[in-house]
Amino acid sequence: MGNTETAWTAPAPGHAAVGAEAARTLLERLRGCADKRWILLLAAPACAAALVITLLQQHPGARLAEAADGLRAATTRLGWSTAPDADPDEAQRSLDETSRSLAALRQAGAAAGFEPPGMALLESRLAAARSPAQRRAVAEAAEPVARSVREEITRRQARLERWLQGLSAALALTLLVPAHGLWRQRRRIRHVLRELSDTLARGADGGEAGVSERRWHALADLSADWYWETDEQMRLSWVSGSTPLTTLLGWPLEELLGRRRDEIGAYDPPALGWGWLAERMSRREPLRDVELRARSRRGEHALWIQLSGRPRCDAQGRFAGYHGVGRDITARKLDDERQRENEQRWALMVDLASDWYWESDAAHRLQPVGRAVYRSAVDYLEPGDGRTRWELHAATPAELWEEHRADLAARRPFRSFEFPTDAADGTRHWVSISGIARFDGQGRFLGYRGVGRDITVRKQAEGLLRRDNEALQQAVAERTRELQQINLDLDAFSRQLAHELRTPIGHVEGVARLLEARAGTRLDSGDRELLALQSQAARTMRETLDALMLLARSTVQAMPMESVDLSRLAAEAAAQLPEMPREAPVDWTIQPAMKVHGCPGALRIVLANLLGNAAKFTRRVERPAVHLAARVQADGRVCISVEDNGAGFDPALADRLFVPFSRLHAGEDYAGTGIGLSIVQRIVERHGGTVAAHGEPGRGARFEFTLAAAAD
């Protein structure tokens, strides 16, 4: 606040030396009270706190535990894949996931400086796992590895807890000693200050205590708290310059001095009113931590201050008013208000949320959390305070609680534990709960806290969906059996039809040859040409029947899958192509080491048709070339392309190439049945792939089809 030294009188010459000496003595005592040893001792708790933080950073991370849990989950799914009806692709994915989980565990163990026993055995079994029995052995070998990781984490946690407990005790002890010393130092300082105040008060007209009083006021102005005095009518007579009413809120000093606090417009009434404060001061009782709200002069913002004081007397022992200290507690009050708001917000969220909050003690007995929970939570169909959850829900099968109680005994966090229970009206409900253990500052186990949710509607929907899926699977199975029977009937019909037609066609061709042999000398050139046309038509019909049989077999024949060397199959297919008149031999370029997953016999037919077409449509090219290559796509599948520089085709008619008996070139130019590409398409689609054709007239063609990559 403003400088009040102008109101002081000059020191009396007769008493100046005595007052100065007394003030000097008291100031020396005040300086001697400021012992810096206690401040230096605070460095020891700081070092201990740094050591605690360092140890906390060395806490066994969740990475090793997550890697062990991932390995356990992967090997569990691998164990499921050993069932007789398990999908081979699913088994392979389980093996791949187990390999990744094992690599993550080894990496996490290396980072934590720990190698679980049995890792080498598990890796060797995993590398050799092919059959269901070998995969089962992998799952069995993984369990002790995951268990050893959990045991190592438990040992490390116990060792770290012992260190932390010791350091916490040492930290508390090292804080207690300097805190006690600082408290005693504060008492000595306050005692010296009271003596200094009394010495100044005993000065006559500010005579011998003038210099000491100035020093006292300087100390008061520099203090974080501020000092105040009143007269016998409780009107402010002096305040130090550090009061926030002048420094922060902008109130002039002249509007504060000479007025009671209830007459100053800066203050709001205290919680118990001005009358309570006036009555207490009239009885001359000490004031302790009286909280007032002070506003700025323009009302833009406000502060909270805390006042403490006691009565004071003059040299003759007469009551002279109050003196005391003030403190700015705005930050603390704001923190208290935010805390209350958070508590109100939390209570509102608990009342309005569809989930509910629960707590248990160290014996896993449910604790009270508010009556709103009882009104909304299925988990509390009746108040369960003082009972465990398995005691409260006695209708739930006991075997469902075994794994849950094992988690509680190990103090592990759990998520989405589901169990059924019966409501008070007899209806069945499903509940899902999640929780985490809670500990106090010394690491003692206090119980669990978590959330719960009513999942009855979801369970009912899952049951309905499961029944619909079962009905759909049954319908699909029945339809599949019907289609399989139809395919078998069609295959038998086509075989019978081919057998029935092959005999008369053979007779037609045989009669034409016999007639040509017996009467060839008597027939003119026109008759012999007719016989040749008849023989050619019979051969064409026989080839068409063979193609139809091959097309039918490509749809229904069994296709055992394995790793196939496509480069070797392509070389064999190219070597077995029939000879045909051509301008020049074909320059074959086959990419080596092409590996795919498929049926070798069926893929041999695919390559024979595609390479045969490439050879056929390049026979009139001066430098015929056929290129077979493969590349891996972004989805992991292998795309194989067969490219030639032959006759090509109109790209607008590419879709017609895969229609049976649809041909884009005249039969007299390039002979064929028009079935080959249809067979290629059906075989590739049975492998789960696709076929595409690209070309331009006179500039060659390129056929692409996709297959699964071979397993490593």
Side-chain angles (χ1 to χ4, degrees):
M1 305 182 74
N3 189 359
T4 59
E5 294 183 358
T6 56
W8 301 345
T9 59
H15 302 279
V18 178
E21 183 63 25
R24 186 180 304 107
T25 302
L26 291 174
L27 287 176
E28 289 297 331
R29 291 179 59 188
L30 181 62
R31 188 178 298 109
C33 292
D35 194 348
K36 298 181 179 179
R37 291 178 300 171
W38 307 116
I39 300 176
L40 295 177
L41 284 177
L42 290 177
C47 295
L51 187 55
V52 169
I53 295 173
T54 303
L55 288 175
L56 288 176
Q57 291 176 347
Q58 295 177 357
H59 189 278
R63 182 180 177 187
L64 187 59
E66 290 177 358
D69 293 341
L71 177 62
R72 178 177 292 176
T75 53
T76 300
R77 286 190 287 273
L78 182 62
W80 295 342
S81 67
T82 60
D85 56 347
D87 186 5
D89 294 338
E90 182 64 26
Q92 184 60 41
R93 286 193 295 271
S94 299
L95 278 174
D96 296 340
E97 184 179 356
T98 303
S99 298
R100 290 191 295 270
S101 301
L102 185 58
L105 178 59
R106 176 167 288 281
Q107 185 178 2
F114 170 70
E115 180 175 358
M119 284 287 290
L121 176 61
L122 179 57
E123 290 175 344
S124 61
R125 289 187 177 180
L126 182 61
R130 294 295 182 271
S131 64
Q134 292 171 337
R135 293 195 295 271
R136 195 178 302 111
V138 171
E140 293 173 354
E143 179 61 26
V145 172
R147 185 168 56 253
S148 65
V149 172
R150 283 292 183 187
E151 292 174 354
E152 177 64 18
I153 292 176
T154 302
R155 286 195 296 270
R156 293 191 178 190
Q157 287 177 341
R159 184 168 62 251
L160 183 59
E161 286 176 1
R162 289 194 296 272
W163 273 96
L164 289 177
Q165 289 173 357
L167 287 175
S168 298
L171 180 60
L173 182 60
T174 53
L175 282 174
L176 183 61
V177 173
H180 178 70
L182 290 174
W183 174 75
R184 294 183 60 185
Q185 177 177 298
R186 178 175 177 270
R187 290 188 61 185
R188 289 196 298 269
I189 291 175
R190 294 188 63 180
H191 179 71
V192 172
L193 288 176
R194 282 197 299 269
E195 290 185 0
L196 178 60
S197 178
D198 294 340
T199 301
L200 294 176
R202 287 194 295 268
D205 296 329
E208 66 274 10
V211 176
S212 298
E213 188 174 356
R214 286 181 174 82
R215 291 175 179 173
W216 156 247
H217 280 267
L219 289 174
D221 289 342
L222 295 176
S223 174
D225 297 340
W226 68 91
Y227 297 85
W228 54 269
E229 291 181 0
T230 68
D231 59 13
E232 60 274 12
Q233 282 80 34
M234 311 307 172
R235 295 174 299 198
L236 281 176
S237 60
W238 177 81
V239 291
S240 63
S242 58
T243 174
L245 271 72
T246 58
T247 59
L248 298 178
L249 299 182
W251 288 90
L253 179 62
E254 56 271 14
E255 294 188 18
L256 302 178
L257 297 180
R259 297 182 182 182
R260 298 192 307 271
R261 285 190 172 86
D262 58 345
E263 298 174 343
I264 299 175
Y267 293 109
D268 290 341
L272 298 178
W274 291 118
W276 167 83
L277 182 60
E279 181 181 357
R280 190 176 182 88
M281 296 179 74
S282 65
R283 295 198 300 265
R284 301 179 183 178
E285 297 178 356
L287 305 177
R288 188 70 179 174
D289 298 336
V290 178
E291 296 181 356
L292 297 174
R293 188 170 182 267
R295 299 187 307 274
S296 64
R297 186 173 178 82
R298 297 183 179 180
E300 298 171 349
H301 60 281
L303 299 176
W304 280 93
I305 62 175
Q306 186 181 77
L307 301 177
S308 297
R310 65 178 182 177
R312 64 186 179 91
C313 300
D314 58 13
Q316 289 74 32
R318 294 190 299 269
F319 175 71
Y322 270 78
H323 62 170
V325 295
R327 176 173 297 176
D328 186 351
I329 59 170
T330 304
R332 194 199 74 189
K333 294 291 288 187
L334 292 178
D335 290 340
D336 293 343
E337 291 179 1
R338 283 193 291 266
Q339 182 67 22
R340 285 194 297 271
E341 291 177 357
N342 290 336
E343 292 176 354
Q344 294 174 357
R345 188 181 300 110
W346 161 249
L348 181 62
M349 291 176 61
V350 168
D351 290 343
L352 298 180
S354 57
D355 297 347
W356 64 87
Y357 174 80
W358 59 268
E359 279 189 3
S360 65
D361 60 12
H364 308 298
R365 296 184 295 261
L366 296 175
Q367 299 301 297
V369 290
R371 307 309 301 179
V373 173
Y374 296 145
R375 294 194 300 270
S376 61
V378 177
D379 191 24
Y380 293 90
L381 301 176
E382 56 179 298
D385 305 340
R387 287 184 289 173
T388 62
R389 189 170 278 111
W390 46 90
E391 292 173 345
L392 178 63
H393 304 286
T396 303
E399 56 271 14
L400 290 181
W401 297 113
E402 294 180 358
E403 183 177 357
H404 176 62
R405 295 180 70 174
D407 288 337
L408 296 181
R411 300 174 184 175
R412 293 190 294 263
F414 61 90
R415 181 177 293 276
S416 301
F417 169 66
E418 301 176 357
F419 62 91
T421 185
D422 293 331
D425 57 0
T427 59
R428 174 57 60 95
H429 288 261
W430 277 87
V431 176
S432 174
I433 59 174
S434 300
I436 188 171
R438 54 193 180 95
F439 302 88
D440 62 8
Q442 288 72 38
R444 293 189 295 266
F445 176 67
L446 299 179
Y448 271 78
R449 64 162 57 98
V451 294
R453 173 175 293 184
D454 183 0
I455 58 171
T456 305
V457 176
R458 195 196 77 189
K459 282 292 187 179
Q460 293 174 349
E462 289 177 355
L464 180 60
L465 182 60
R466 184 168 53 254
R467 291 192 295 270
D468 291 344
N469 287 337
E470 291 174 354
L472 179 60
Q473 290 175 359
Q474 183 178 1
V476 170
E478 294 177 355
R479 183 58 178 167
T480 300
R481 287 193 295 270
E482 293 177 0
L483 292 176
Q484 289 175 346
Q485 186 62 40
I486 292 174
N487 287 334
L488 292 175
D489 294 341
L490 288 175
D491 183 57
F493 173 75
S494 61
R495 291 177 183 274
Q496 184 66 26
L497 179 62
H499 176 73
E500 295 295 333
L501 291 179
R502 192 183 299 275
T503 300
I505 290 174
H507 289 168
V508 171
E509 185 178 7
V511 169
R513 291 179 180 176
L514 182 61
L515 182 59
E516 183 179 7
R518 290 184 176 182
T521 57
R522 298 193 302 273
L523 298 177
D524 57 16
S525 59
D527 294 335
R528 286 194 294 272
E529 184 176 352
L530 290 175
L531 288 176
L533 289 174
Q534 181 178 345
S535 299
Q536 179 63 35
R539 285 194 298 272
T540 302
M541 291 182 66
R542 186 174 67 252
E543 292 174 356
T544 302
L545 283 176
D546 293 339
L548 285 173
M549 289 297 298
L550 184 60
L551 181 62
R553 283 196 296 270
S554 68
T555 305
V556 298
Q557 69 180 2
M559 298 181 66
M561 301 293 184
E562 61 184 56
S563 180
V564 179
D565 187 349
L566 202 66
S567 300
R568 182 180 59 81
L569 281 184
E572 294 175 357
Q576 295 173 2
L577 291 177
E579 296 290 337
M580 64 179 65
R582 54 187 316 111
E583 294 291 333
V586 179
D587 180 15
W588 298 98
T589 303
I590 300 176
Q591 179 179 327
M594 292 186 293
K595 301 285 186 177
V596 295
H597 183 71
C599 176
L603 294 180
R604 188 185 300 273
I605 296 174
V606 170
L607 293 174
N609 279 281
L610 293 178
L611 296 179
N613 282 348
K616 177 172 62 177
F617 288 101
T618 58
R619 64 190 183 88
R620 296 181 180 177
V621 179
E622 294 182 358
R623 295 180 179 178
V626 179
H627 183 69
L628 178 64
R631 58 181 174 84
V632 179
Q633 300 182 140
D635 58 359
R637 300 183 65 83
V638 180
C639 178
I640 300 97
S641 64
V642 179
E643 187 173 2
D644 63 67
N645 60 346
F649 58 86
D650 186 355
L653 305 177
D655 293 339
R656 292 178 52 189
L657 291 173
F658 301 101
V659 178
F661 303 109
S662 178
R663 306 179 71 244
L664 303 185
H665 301 84
E668 58 272 13
D669 295 332
Y670 302 99
T673 61
I675 298 293
L677 291 179
S678 300
I679 296 174
V680 169
Q681 184 183 40
R682 295 192 181 185
I683 291 176
V684 172
E685 288 178 349
R686 291 193 65 188
H687 280 75
T690 58
V691 183
H694 311 276
E696 294 183 17
R699 302 185 64 179
R702 185 179 78 257
F703 290 86
E704 296 180 343
F705 61 97
T706 59
L707 298 172
D712 295 335

